[in-house]
């Protein structure tokens, strides 16, 4: 999952990049309007509105015109109601005012990507992620064209990871997604992930990030 971070304060940018990379995101940093508009395509943009060579609102408008489905979160010191209204009307999906909590920002990123992925998946019930082909309606999975039979929980774990390929999901998050509770414990999750890996025949697809969680690795 690629994120474009548009932020001219390099100290703030360094802290955000560190946090996002720990979550499994690939980050491109731009500090100016010109750099933001010439950046490579991405899945989500974190956009400071106060930039040295122009207004971030204009960047937001341009990016939205270029890609109507692009996820954009304005991250700015402009906290007045009028500023928030303008930012959202110009195309931002969410609006975060500085100073902000890194944990809250990450939660907002995950929520936005989850909603977007769910919408895209509803439009196309079958998705392809690396060697995987997942039919959400039929609940079937293929790996390199080979059909794989999964239990209900194994499918739900894989489906949850596939919603955000490359992003590390915590054990607690997977337990909530699949079991709707955390009481089952991490041992239960480990057992199901082990079985899932064996059935996929590609242990490298579901990667354990020690002390953090799991991610679907398809690079």
């Amino acid at each position: 999952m690629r994120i474009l971070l548009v932020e001219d304060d390099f100290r703030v940018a360094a802290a955000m990049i560190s946090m996002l990379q720990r979550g499994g995101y690939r980050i491109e940093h731009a500090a100016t309007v010109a750099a933001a508009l010439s950046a490579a395509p991405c899945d989500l943009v974190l956009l400071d509105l106060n930039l040295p060579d122009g207004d971030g609102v204009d960047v937001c408008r341009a990016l939205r015109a270029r890609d109507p489905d692009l996820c954009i979160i304005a991250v700015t010191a402009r906290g007045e109601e009028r500023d928030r209204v303008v930012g959202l009307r110009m195309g931002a999906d969410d609006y975060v005012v500085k100073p902000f909590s890194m944990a809250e920002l990450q939660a907002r990123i995950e929520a936005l990507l989850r909603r977007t992925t769910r919408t895209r998946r509803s439009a196309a019930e079958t998705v392809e992620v690396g060697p995987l082909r997942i039919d959400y309606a039929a609940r079937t999975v293929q790996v390199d064209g080979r059909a794989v039979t999964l239990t209900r929980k194994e499918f739900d774990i894989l489906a949850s990871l596939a919603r955000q390929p490359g992003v590390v999901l915590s054990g607690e998050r997977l337990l909530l997604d699949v079991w709707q509770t955390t009481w089952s414990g991490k041992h239960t999750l480990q057992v199901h992930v082990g079985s899932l890996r064996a059935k996929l025949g590609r242990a490298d697809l579901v990667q354990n990030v020690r002390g953090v969680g799991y991610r679907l690795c398809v690079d």
Side-chain angles (χ1 to χ4, degrees):
M1 194 70 68
R2 295 175 59 87
I3 291 180
L4 171 62
L5 171 62
V6 185
E7 171 61 63
D8 67 327
D9 186 324
F10 284 85
R11 188 174 60 177
V12 173
M16 294 175 71
I17 290 170
S18 177
M19 180 271 290
L20 294 167
Q21 287 179 332
R22 285 199 301 274
Y25 300 103
R26 288 178 290 174
I27 312 300
E28 181 173 359
H29 177 214
T32 64
V33 169
L37 295 180
S38 61
C42 62
D43 301 293
L44 183 143
V45 178
L46 296 174
L47 177 62
D48 185 7
L49 300 183
N50 296 317
L51 297 169
D53 58 340
D55 195 319
V57 171
D58 294 329
V59 178
C60 184
R61 186 188 295 110
L63 293 176
R64 178 61 68 212
R66 186 185 301 171
D67 182 357
D69 296 326
L70 180 63
C71 300
I72 302 175
I73 300 178
V75 183
T76 176
R78 300 182 190 174
E80 298 295 327
E81 179 182 2
R82 177 182 178 278
D83 295 317
R84 296 198 299 271
V85 170
V86 169
L88 293 169
R89 283 181 173 170
M90 289 301 102
D93 297 292
D94 200 353
Y95 198 99
V96 177
V97 178
K98 297 177 181 177
F100 55 86
S101 155
M102 289 287 187
E104 180 184 351
L105 177 62
Q106 187 157 11
R108 287 177 180 270
I109 291 171
E110 292 174 358
L112 180 55
L113 292 175
R114 192 162 56 244
R115 289 198 304 271
T116 305
T117 304
R118 187 178 299 126
T119 300
R120 289 173 179 169
R121 196 178 66 242
S122 297
E125 290 290 346
T126 300
V127 298
E128 295 188 7
V129 184
L132 292 168
R133 180 181 175 84
I134 302 173
D135 187 327
Y136 286 91
R139 296 180 66 83
T140 60
V141 174
Q142 293 182 2
V143 182
D144 293 322
R146 173 179 58 88
V148 176
T149 301
L150 301 178
T151 66
R152 178 182 174 183
K153 296 302 185 188
E154 291 162 357
F155 180 89
D156 289 343
I157 291 170
L158 182 63
S160 185
L161 292 170
R163 292 187 185 109
Q164 299 181 61
V167 176
V168 180
L169 301 186
S170 68
E172 290 80 4
R173 163 72 183 282
L174 284 170
L175 287 168
L176 283 172
D177 281 355
V178 177
W179 281 268
Q180 284 76 55
T181 178
T182 59
W183 72 265
S184 295
K186 293 186 178 179
H187 178 68
T188 299
L189 178 61
Q190 290 169 354
V191 170
H192 283 80
V193 169
S195 178
L196 171 62
R197 283 174 171 154
K199 290 183 178 180
L200 293 176
R202 290 277 303 271
D204 59 317
L205 286 177
V206 179
Q207 185 179 53
N208 179 18
V209 180
R210 186 179 298 275
V212 183
Y214 297 90
R215 67 180 170 192
L216 185 64
C217 189
V218 293
D219 290 336

